[in-house]
Amino acid sequence: MSEQPIIRRRQVTTGISDSRVNNAKTQSQYQPYKDAAWGFINHWYPALFSHELAEDQVEGIQICGIPIVLRRVDGRVFALKDQCLHRGVRLSEKPTCFNKSTISCWYHGFTFDLESGRLATIVANPDDKLIGTTGITTYPVHEVNGMIFVFVREDDFPDADVPPLEQDLPFRFPERSEQFPHPMWPVSPSVLDQNAMVLGMHRTGFGNWRIACENGFDNAHILVHKDNTIVHAMDWVLPLGWVPTSDDCIEVVEEEHGPKGMMQWLFTDKWAPVVENQELGLKVEGVNGRAYRTSVVMPGVLMVENWPGERMAQYEWYVPITDDTHEYWEVIVQVCDTPEERQKYQYRYDHVYKPLCLHGFNDCDIYAREAMQNFYADGTGWNDEQLVSTDVSPITWRKLASRWNRGIAKPGRGVKGAVKDSSLIFKDTADGRRPGYKVKKIED
Amino acid sequence: MSEQPIIRRRQVTTGISDSRVNNAKTQSQYQPYKDAAWGFINHWYPALFSHELAEDQVEGIQICGIPIVLRRVDGRVFALKDQCLHRGVRLSEKPTCFNKSTISCWYHGFTFDLESGRLATIVANPDDKLIGTTGITTYPVHEVNGMIFVFVREDDFPDADVPPLEQDLPFRFPERSEQFPHPMWPVSPSVLDQNAMVLGMHRTGFGNWRIACENGFDNAHILVHKDNTIVHAMDWVLPLGWVPTSDDCIEVVEEEHGPKGMMQWLFTDKWAPVVENQELGLKVEGVNGRAYRTSVVMPGVLMVENWPGERMAQYEWYVPITDDTHEYWEVIVQVCDTPEERQKYQYRYDHVYKPLCLHGFNDCDIYAREAMQNFYADGTGWNDEQLVSTDVSPITWRKLASRWNRGIAKPGRGVKGAVKDSSLIFKDTADGRRPGYKVKKIED
Amino acid sequence: MSEQPIIRRRQVTTGISDSRVNNAKTQSQYQPYKDAAWGFINHWYPALFSHELAEDQVEGIQICGIPIVLRRVDGRVFALKDQCLHRGVRLSEKPTCFNKSTISCWYHGFTFDLESGRLATIVANPDDKLIGTTGITTYPVHEVNGMIFVFVREDDFPDADVPPLEQDLPFRFPERSEQFPHPMWPVSPSVLDQNAMVLGMHRTGFGNWRIACENGFDNAHILVHKDNTIVHAMDWVLPLGWVPTSDDCIEVVEEEHGPKGMMQWLFTDKWAPVVENQELGLKVEGVNGRAYRTSVVMPGVLMVENWPGERMAQYEWYVPITDDTHEYWEVIVQVCDTPEERQKYQYRYDHVYKPLCLHGFNDCDIYAREAMQNFYADGTGWNDEQLVSTDVSPITWRKLASRWNRGIAKPGRGVKGAVKDSSLIFKDTADGRRPGYKVKKIED
């Protein structure tokens, strides 16, 4: 006979507490966010740095599960769905262009108009009745100050409804100086500013974009940075962390025509530095360090003002590739009006900011994000996590993102990551290659 | 509150077109083909080259999700299911044979009769009542001119119904010379011909067998070959492609006792070379190259007549291993009646055909096939693809394959690939090994 | 039109036999065992050797899908769930401890009491209302003679019900000498004996823990060892195998307060050595070798008495990590009352037992276990396997395990292995790392 195994039960004294701030009611307010494993669609995302796409160069990337091919012609960048409508291969795998107004599939010669995506012709089948009746989706492009942005949209999202890039970028100054005064530092430069010099890097993060994004403006993760070289090099004395002291410690911005996001009132009396933990016998004296302020706007763009130096701002994007990978973008912006200023900034970026900040400092954020992936990957983390008062930041973000996203990306179809482990991926890993962002070109 | 995100809709102006030739009605005619991810069963497939299985050697392979072990005794090759009925290990992992008429499992000594598959004895349990009451499936073998073919069948497929190998091989000549006249070249040799010398290779392709197979006789993929060394070495001038000019451009053969397949009337007025594409300003003059003709028969065997040289034919198989890997076979056949002819052919194969054709030329087909895998791997590609008039070839093939296959292979049970990512595979890849075709022997 | 493919049916003459001993009725008696892919929970398992956890060292492991962190303070070992209740990262990835009574999360400073698991404080949020209201599960620890054992339990399993370690360890002697007399050898030492010297190793096995465990006491797998160096070095002449000759060849022990398990009456008239197989013409003469006896107790602990030498016993554990990996433990125990004895035993272990037994001999068991994984990984093996009379051992084990386990582990939640193939794992393998047992530390 087969008895069921004996299970003894008792009152749970550890485990999930009702005192957590993200109870069921709170969670119900950001369900759309929980559903956005593949990202928010119909938003602007950075695709490449300008220097990564030379004249006539073709590159393929993937954002929100959508393969995208970019080509630059006479300086202008075009973006189309990187999946031939015929047999689904990626055009970018073997770039084939016969003129300046089209891109052709290297396999069967299906040729698409760069401007409209329309099937313009088929190399070896010029009279086929399919020509002109179909096409692939195009994606609006905005290139500014060294960055190429793409509006990643659903196939049926109308051109007329495409918002300006500004609506998906952080709050700008001095326009917002009155709304968000910051006596402690000069106005923060924007990627869109005239003479803005944008320096930075991007790499693939192995984890979902949401847990990466939340780490960016989480005010309680200071611990991971305590041993950073930059901290000690600058003789900073960091507090143990920050706690909100007022209900309006975060300001949510939901103006109809502006970016939707939130600003955190750091370095004001709405957030208090924690300098002591009696339980642990920890005490910090003579706190000093760089004053900064973080904000985040849809679709997940971080701005760190006055960081990593004066008259600078660091911006970060966590661009969804699949549901378990994202492209991590870090850029530092400074306005440089003269060649001398540009040269000086470039030098300082190469020798200080890139090695000590974008790497040394932010590398710690990367392992923190990857460390969360197993917990959230199977969906259980979103329910099991127990958040506290300092998590007002991610919770506020989750709610506003649930209200203001322009669409939730569906799981990728017919793309890398749609089926979790194709032998193709096994072959890559077995060959010692890592899953990546850019499409690997075929060697002739 | 949690609003659903706003979605704006409009008329779709790009996307899937009704003008494609594979509309819903057409697709319904090859549903069985769409279901055959793991291949067609109850057919003949190549297993190994004769030189890969020396006297008394044992090798394990997998076809259509079925593990198969081969052993050669006194020259004769036997094939059985390579999965011990006791605890399911593969006999081929550690070949153990105590006599010429059986193969024993290296683990617990279950011993099977090579001829019948019957459980003949158990090394350490000679009187067990299971002996003689059960066994493993055997697979008919046909070895000819250096190739070992196996009839891969369902466990209950009767010996009496096993068709001759000829029924699963390409159309033969001169028998078919009247039916398929070809003034431009001599009769094509067959693997079955007397004194046929068969040279070739096989390797694992990472992708489903169907998309590999369709590429083999697709007349529109000429683009991928335009830069091949062989093409330039021979001063060939290829057309942009070929378009059908007549409804009978392909002849379907469905005789009761012959191979089921199709012959393409290439290099006749039923197919026109495309030498110009005005839209792209492309024009080809003085077309010349090697005249050839492709046909395909169940279960997916390609014949390229008059290729890569005179009095030769290239045959290809795309043998399903799992639903996302296949073994790609390429062989070139020439009849050589004298040792001199054999020696000369071998030399030319080693120094021209293998490097420039089987590798240089067909390697381009391999990357084209792998490039399609993501699109078809999750099943969406079969519905999303938009085929055109030149795709009459794959569509005709899909329909006849749906009508004439002898069975659709079920997903593998208890074999590699049945569960997508076992830690065993991870261990392999982590150790720098690629998923392969032959079973890796255990080192003592 | 799309016909269904023609399928011909006939009487099955091979395939699964009714004569197998594990028919449907028998299988129904061990359904709970078939359900225990992730292991049995609420049992004692070895976690680490004492020398692997120095004073103040922190290590993370995973057992039954549960991440566990161990820390040694003032000699005492504490074990807690290695998953921060805040955002789910593993505490062990970057050990952070501010005092002797707690362990803190390196990410946001959540600090847990080592003794109770209670959330004691949050480094930068000392007044949060969550503090004291929640916590993480703790696991009772028992360290003895160089081994650290952990009681792996469900979150709500009461301390009061935790059984002593003895209940999950093999039968002890001389207490059992009367119950299990063994004239052929001295009493077997136990891990718990005074002055017991325990030497051994553990490594990750790629396969489910059950098929690994069953191999340990399976009396029919002698074939895999026939070529072992130790066998030839000792001039052993092994029989072909062993067959049961009596219904009481195995004694099941189910006393209320003792270990639940079974003892096999090897080297008695209840098991007969097989020295001949006429069908294969095999005959063994002058059988001689080391007399031993195997038993197994819940949750899957093997004892091999009088092995690999006199006054010794080998113990093995197959600790579930996920449903397709387990940690394989092999230890050899000998009582050494003097430094000279200890030194001599250590020398012999280093130069004979470890290389020739734990490696040479048992390595053959490892590949046998991994060879079964594909067959059982998709669940089909448990139904398709055809067991015989010598399999009375695993069948008896499966039944008693189904009756006496203290709980069936649920699939891991939010841990490595819960989602089969996260990109994190791909990244690991692509970087040439193998999935492992201990958590890989983050390099600063």
Side-chain angles (χ1 to χ4, degrees), chain B residues 131-154:
Chain B
I131 295 168
T133 70
T134 184
I136 53 182
T137 303
T138 59
Y139 304 100
V141 174
H142 186 138
E143 183 170 21
V144 56
N145 288 327
M147 293 186 70
I148 300 170
F149 292 89
V150 170
F151 186 76
V152 180
R153 60 176 169 181
E154 293 170 294

PDB file of all heavy atoms in Angstrom, chain B residues 131-154:
ATOM      1  N   ILE B 131      13.578 -13.250 -19.439  1.00  0.00           N
ATOM      2  CA  ILE B 131      14.336 -13.682 -20.625  1.00  0.00           C
ATOM      3  C   ILE B 131      13.423 -14.360 -21.637  1.00  0.00           C
ATOM      4  O   ILE B 131      12.598 -15.194 -21.294  1.00  0.00           O
ATOM      5  CB  ILE B 131      15.489 -14.624 -20.212  1.00  0.00           C
ATOM      6  CG1 ILE B 131      16.490 -13.868 -19.356  1.00  0.00           C
ATOM      7  CG2 ILE B 131      16.160 -15.238 -21.432  1.00  0.00           C
ATOM      8  CD1 ILE B 131      17.513 -14.738 -18.648  1.00  0.00           C
ATOM      9  N   GLY B 132      13.535 -13.907 -22.873  1.00  0.00           N
ATOM     10  CA  GLY B 132      12.738 -14.509 -23.941  1.00  0.00           C
ATOM     11  C   GLY B 132      11.350 -13.925 -24.104  1.00  0.00           C
ATOM     12  O   GLY B 132      10.669 -14.161 -25.104  1.00  0.00           O
ATOM     13  N   THR B 133      10.938 -13.143 -23.106  1.00  0.00           N
ATOM     14  CA  THR B 133       9.566 -12.597 -23.184  1.00  0.00           C
ATOM     15  C   THR B 133       9.559 -11.168 -23.713  1.00  0.00           C
ATOM     16  O   THR B 133       8.507 -10.576 -23.902  1.00  0.00           O
ATOM     17  CB  THR B 133       8.911 -12.569 -21.784  1.00  0.00           C
ATOM     18  OG1 THR B 133       9.572 -11.551 -21.003  1.00  0.00           O
ATOM     19  CG2 THR B 133       9.035 -13.909 -21.112  1.00  0.00           C
ATOM     20  N   THR B 134      10.719 -10.580 -23.885  1.00  0.00           N
ATOM     21  CA  THR B 134      10.782  -9.175 -24.295  1.00  0.00           C
ATOM     22  C   THR B 134      12.034  -8.950 -25.131  1.00  0.00           C
ATOM     23  O   THR B 134      12.819  -9.875 -25.372  1.00  0.00           O
ATOM     24  CB  THR B 134      10.794  -8.258 -23.041  1.00  0.00           C
ATOM     25  OG1 THR B 134      10.750  -6.909 -23.465  1.00  0.00           O
ATOM     26  CG2 THR B 134      12.036  -8.507 -22.194  1.00  0.00           C
ATOM     27  N   GLY B 135      12.228  -7.741 -25.576  1.00  0.00           N
ATOM     28  CA  GLY B 135      13.399  -7.455 -26.400  1.00  0.00           C
ATOM     29  C   GLY B 135      13.389  -6.011 -26.841  1.00  0.00           C
ATOM     30  O   GLY B 135      12.526  -5.228 -26.436  1.00  0.00           O
ATOM     31  N   ILE B 136      14.367  -5.658 -27.637  1.00  0.00           N
ATOM     32  CA  ILE B 136      14.427  -4.304 -28.164  1.00  0.00           C
ATOM     33  C   ILE B 136      14.236  -4.347 -29.675  1.00  0.00           C
ATOM     34  O   ILE B 136      14.508  -5.353 -30.317  1.00  0.00           O
ATOM     35  CB  ILE B 136      15.766  -3.624 -27.807  1.00  0.00           C
ATOM     36  CG1 ILE B 136      16.949  -4.473 -28.239  1.00  0.00           C
ATOM     37  CG2 ILE B 136      15.833  -3.359 -26.311  1.00  0.00           C
ATOM     38  CD1 ILE B 136      18.298  -3.870 -27.877  1.00  0.00           C
ATOM     39  N   THR B 137      13.760  -3.249 -30.213  1.00  0.00           N
ATOM     40  CA  THR B 137      13.473  -3.180 -31.640  1.00  0.00           C
ATOM     41  C   THR B 137      14.752  -3.284 -32.467  1.00  0.00           C
ATOM     42  O   THR B 137      15.786  -2.738 -32.090  1.00  0.00           O
ATOM     43  CB  THR B 137      12.769  -1.844 -31.951  1.00  0.00           C
ATOM     44  OG1 THR B 137      11.589  -1.763 -31.140  1.00  0.00           O
ATOM     45  CG2 THR B 137      12.371  -1.749 -33.408  1.00  0.00           C
ATOM     46  N   THR B 138      14.652  -4.022 -33.553  1.00  0.00           N
ATOM     47  CA  THR B 138      15.781  -4.090 -34.497  1.00  0.00           C
ATOM     48  C   THR B 138      15.439  -3.248 -35.720  1.00  0.00           C
ATOM     49  O   THR B 138      14.265  -3.007 -36.007  1.00  0.00           O
ATOM     50  CB  THR B 138      16.024  -5.539 -34.967  1.00  0.00           C
ATOM     51  OG1 THR B 138      14.820  -6.007 -35.598  1.00  0.00           O
ATOM     52  CG2 THR B 138      16.377  -6.441 -33.803  1.00  0.00           C
ATOM     53  N   TYR B 139      16.480  -2.809 -36.424  1.00  0.00           N
ATOM     54  CA  TYR B 139      16.280  -1.980 -37.605  1.00  0.00           C
ATOM     55  C   TYR B 139      16.973  -2.609 -38.798  1.00  0.00           C
ATOM     56  O   TYR B 139      18.186  -2.867 -38.747  1.00  0.00           O
ATOM     57  CB  TYR B 139      16.815  -0.565 -37.341  1.00  0.00           C
ATOM     58  CG  TYR B 139      16.172   0.047 -36.114  1.00  0.00           C
ATOM     59  CD1 TYR B 139      16.824   0.055 -34.882  1.00  0.00           C
ATOM     60  CD2 TYR B 139      14.872   0.550 -36.162  1.00  0.00           C
ATOM     61  CE1 TYR B 139      16.215   0.573 -33.742  1.00  0.00           C
ATOM     62  CE2 TYR B 139      14.255   1.075 -35.026  1.00  0.00           C
ATOM     63  CZ  TYR B 139      14.935   1.075 -33.821  1.00  0.00           C
ATOM     64  OH  TYR B 139      14.328   1.566 -32.695  1.00  0.00           O
ATOM     65  N   PRO B 140      16.203  -2.911 -39.854  1.00  0.00           N
ATOM     66  CA  PRO B 140      16.802  -3.479 -41.053  1.00  0.00           C
ATOM     67  C   PRO B 140      17.956  -2.613 -41.556  1.00  0.00           C
ATOM     68  O   PRO B 140      17.903  -1.382 -41.457  1.00  0.00           O
ATOM     69  CB  PRO B 140      15.641  -3.490 -42.055  1.00  0.00           C
ATOM     70  CG  PRO B 140      14.412  -3.603 -41.190  1.00  0.00           C
ATOM     71  CD  PRO B 140      14.738  -2.774 -39.979  1.00  0.00           C
ATOM     72  N   VAL B 141      18.997  -3.266 -42.027  1.00  0.00           N
ATOM     73  CA  VAL B 141      20.199  -2.580 -42.509  1.00  0.00           C
ATOM     74  C   VAL B 141      20.464  -2.945 -43.958  1.00  0.00           C
ATOM     75  O   VAL B 141      20.261  -4.092 -44.367  1.00  0.00           O
ATOM     76  CB  VAL B 141      21.427  -2.987 -41.653  1.00  0.00           C
ATOM     77  CG1 VAL B 141      22.705  -2.388 -42.243  1.00  0.00           C
ATOM     78  CG2 VAL B 141      21.236  -2.553 -40.203  1.00  0.00           C
ATOM     79  N   HIS B 142      20.892  -1.975 -44.742  1.00  0.00           N
ATOM     80  CA  HIS B 142      21.297  -2.232 -46.123  1.00  0.00           C
ATOM     81  C   HIS B 142      22.598  -1.470 -46.367  1.00  0.00           C
ATOM     82  O   HIS B 142      22.615  -0.246 -46.301  1.00  0.00           O
ATOM     83  CB  HIS B 142      20.203  -1.755 -47.092  1.00  0.00           C
ATOM     84  CG  HIS B 142      20.472  -2.108 -48.521  1.00  0.00           C
ATOM     85  ND1 HIS B 142      19.485  -2.576 -49.384  1.00  0.00           N
ATOM     86  CD2 HIS B 142      21.606  -2.092 -49.254  1.00  0.00           C
ATOM     87  CE1 HIS B 142      20.009  -2.802 -50.572  1.00  0.00           C
ATOM     88  NE2 HIS B 142      21.299  -2.515 -50.528  1.00  0.00           N
ATOM     89  N   GLU B 143      23.670  -2.217 -46.584  1.00  0.00           N
ATOM     90  CA  GLU B 143      24.966  -1.579 -46.829  1.00  0.00           C
ATOM     91  C   GLU B 143      25.328  -1.710 -48.301  1.00  0.00           C
ATOM     92  O   GLU B 143      25.241  -2.788 -48.885  1.00  0.00           O
ATOM     93  CB  GLU B 143      26.057  -2.239 -45.973  1.00  0.00           C
ATOM     94  CG  GLU B 143      27.425  -1.586 -46.124  1.00  0.00           C
ATOM     95  CD  GLU B 143      28.435  -2.101 -45.089  1.00  0.00           C
ATOM     96  OE1 GLU B 143      28.217  -3.190 -44.536  1.00  0.00           O
ATOM     97  OE2 GLU B 143      29.421  -1.387 -44.824  1.00  0.00           O
ATOM     98  N   VAL B 144      25.682  -0.594 -48.895  1.00  0.00           N
ATOM     99  CA  VAL B 144      26.001  -0.634 -50.322  1.00  0.00           C
ATOM    100  C   VAL B 144      27.013   0.455 -50.670  1.00  0.00           C
ATOM    101  O   VAL B 144      26.899   1.602 -50.214  1.00  0.00           O
ATOM    102  CB  VAL B 144      24.713  -0.466 -51.166  1.00  0.00           C
ATOM    103  CG1 VAL B 144      23.978   0.820 -50.796  1.00  0.00           C
ATOM    104  CG2 VAL B 144      25.035  -0.485 -52.656  1.00  0.00           C
ATOM    105  N   ASN B 145      28.016   0.070 -51.427  1.00  0.00           N
ATOM    106  CA  ASN B 145      29.015   1.028 -51.924  1.00  0.00           C
ATOM    107  C   ASN B 145      29.523   2.017 -50.877  1.00  0.00           C
ATOM    108  O   ASN B 145      29.587   3.226 -51.120  1.00  0.00           O
ATOM    109  CB  ASN B 145      28.447   1.783 -53.129  1.00  0.00           C
ATOM    110  CG  ASN B 145      28.354   0.873 -54.357  1.00  0.00           C
ATOM    111  OD1 ASN B 145      29.186  -0.010 -54.542  1.00  0.00           O
ATOM    112  ND2 ASN B 145      27.311   1.068 -55.153  1.00  0.00           N
ATOM    113  N   GLY B 146      29.832   1.501 -49.706  1.00  0.00           N
ATOM    114  CA  GLY B 146      30.455   2.355 -48.699  1.00  0.00           C
ATOM    115  C   GLY B 146      29.509   3.099 -47.780  1.00  0.00           C
ATOM    116  O   GLY B 146      29.944   3.883 -46.945  1.00  0.00           O
ATOM    117  N   MET B 147      28.214   2.864 -47.947  1.00  0.00           N
ATOM    118  CA  MET B 147      27.247   3.510 -47.060  1.00  0.00           C
ATOM    119  C   MET B 147      26.389   2.491 -46.333  1.00  0.00           C
ATOM    120  O   MET B 147      25.978   1.485 -46.911  1.00  0.00           O
ATOM    121  CB  MET B 147      26.336   4.468 -47.850  1.00  0.00           C
ATOM    122  CG  MET B 147      27.043   5.669 -48.410  1.00  0.00           C
ATOM    123  SD  MET B 147      25.875   6.830 -49.176  1.00  0.00           S
ATOM    124  CE  MET B 147      25.011   7.464 -47.734  1.00  0.00           C
ATOM    125  N   ILE B 148      26.127   2.767 -45.051  1.00  0.00           N
ATOM    126  CA  ILE B 148      25.266   1.901 -44.252  1.00  0.00           C
ATOM    127  C   ILE B 148      23.918   2.603 -44.050  1.00  0.00           C
ATOM    128  O   ILE B 148      23.863   3.682 -43.458  1.00  0.00           O
ATOM    129  CB  ILE B 148      25.894   1.623 -42.872  1.00  0.00           C
ATOM    130  CG1 ILE B 148      27.259   0.942 -43.034  1.00  0.00           C
ATOM    131  CG2 ILE B 148      24.957   0.775 -42.025  1.00  0.00           C
ATOM    132  CD1 ILE B 148      28.053   0.859 -41.736  1.00  0.00           C
ATOM    133  N   PHE B 149      22.863   2.019 -44.582  1.00  0.00           N
ATOM    134  CA  PHE B 149      21.519   2.573 -44.423  1.00  0.00           C
ATOM    135  C   PHE B 149      20.750   1.763 -43.384  1.00  0.00           C
ATOM    136  O   PHE B 149      20.909   0.550 -43.281  1.00  0.00           O
ATOM    137  CB  PHE B 149      20.755   2.541 -45.743  1.00  0.00           C
ATOM    138  CG  PHE B 149      21.309   3.467 -46.784  1.00  0.00           C
ATOM    139  CD1 PHE B 149      22.301   3.048 -47.661  1.00  0.00           C
ATOM    140  CD2 PHE B 149      20.848   4.777 -46.882  1.00  0.00           C
ATOM    141  CE1 PHE B 149      22.815   3.908 -48.626  1.00  0.00           C
ATOM    142  CE2 PHE B 149      21.348   5.642 -47.840  1.00  0.00           C
ATOM    143  CZ  PHE B 149      22.340   5.206 -48.714  1.00  0.00           C
ATOM    144  N   VAL B 150      19.919   2.456 -42.606  1.00  0.00           N
ATOM    145  CA  VAL B 150      19.103   1.800 -41.593  1.00  0.00           C
ATOM    146  C   VAL B 150      17.641   2.176 -41.817  1.00  0.00           C
ATOM    147  O   VAL B 150      17.330   3.331 -42.123  1.00  0.00           O
ATOM    148  CB  VAL B 150      19.549   2.236 -40.178  1.00  0.00           C
ATOM    149  CG1 VAL B 150      18.557   1.763 -39.134  1.00  0.00           C
ATOM    150  CG2 VAL B 150      20.948   1.700 -39.893  1.00  0.00           C
ATOM    151  N   PHE B 151      16.755   1.193 -41.676  1.00  0.00           N
ATOM    152  CA  PHE B 151      15.329   1.482 -41.763  1.00  0.00           C
ATOM    153  C   PHE B 151      14.829   1.814 -40.357  1.00  0.00           C
ATOM    154  O   PHE B 151      14.687   0.941 -39.509  1.00  0.00           O
ATOM    155  CB  PHE B 151      14.565   0.272 -42.321  1.00  0.00           C
ATOM    156  CG  PHE B 151      13.101   0.551 -42.566  1.00  0.00           C
ATOM    157  CD1 PHE B 151      12.691   1.302 -43.665  1.00  0.00           C
ATOM    158  CD2 PHE B 151      12.133   0.085 -41.687  1.00  0.00           C
ATOM    159  CE1 PHE B 151      11.338   1.567 -43.894  1.00  0.00           C
ATOM    160  CE2 PHE B 151      10.784   0.348 -41.908  1.00  0.00           C
ATOM    161  CZ  PHE B 151      10.389   1.090 -43.016  1.00  0.00           C
ATOM    162  N   VAL B 152      14.637   3.114 -40.115  1.00  0.00           N
ATOM    163  CA  VAL B 152      14.249   3.583 -38.787  1.00  0.00           C
ATOM    164  C   VAL B 152      12.734   3.466 -38.639  1.00  0.00           C
ATOM    165  O   VAL B 152      11.985   4.139 -39.343  1.00  0.00           O
ATOM    166  CB  VAL B 152      14.694   5.049 -38.578  1.00  0.00           C
ATOM    167  CG1 VAL B 152      14.297   5.530 -37.197  1.00  0.00           C
ATOM    168  CG2 VAL B 152      16.200   5.175 -38.794  1.00  0.00           C
ATOM    169  N   ARG B 153      12.314   2.570 -37.750  1.00  0.00           N
ATOM    170  CA  ARG B 153      10.883   2.270 -37.699  1.00  0.00           C
ATOM    171  C   ARG B 153      10.301   2.355 -36.297  1.00  0.00           C
ATOM    172  O   ARG B 153      11.010   2.346 -35.307  1.00  0.00           O
ATOM    173  CB  ARG B 153      10.637   0.867 -38.241  1.00  0.00           C
ATOM    174  CG  ARG B 153      11.344  -0.229 -37.458  1.00  0.00           C
ATOM    175  CD  ARG B 153      10.954  -1.596 -38.026  1.00  0.00           C
ATOM    176  NE  ARG B 153      11.804  -2.662 -37.489  1.00  0.00           N
ATOM    177  CZ  ARG B 153      11.670  -3.938 -37.845  1.00  0.00           C
ATOM    178  NH1 ARG B 153      10.748  -4.300 -38.726  1.00  0.00           N
ATOM    179  NH2 ARG B 153      12.476  -4.867 -37.323  1.00  0.00           N
ATOM    180  N   GLU B 154       8.969   2.415 -36.269  1.00  0.00           N
ATOM    181  CA  GLU B 154       8.258   2.320 -35.002  1.00  0.00           C
ATOM    182  C   GLU B 154       8.420   0.907 -34.472  1.00  0.00           C
ATOM    183  O   GLU B 154       8.653  -0.041 -35.242  1.00  0.00           O
ATOM    184  CB  GLU B 154       6.774   2.634 -35.212  1.00  0.00           C
ATOM    185  CG  GLU B 154       6.527   4.079 -35.613  1.00  0.00           C
ATOM    186  CD  GLU B 154       5.096   4.308 -36.052  1.00  0.00           C
ATOM    187  OE1 GLU B 154       4.701   3.753 -37.097  1.00  0.00           O
ATOM    188  OE2 GLU B 154       4.366   5.027 -35.338  1.00  0.00           O
TER     189      GLU B 154
END
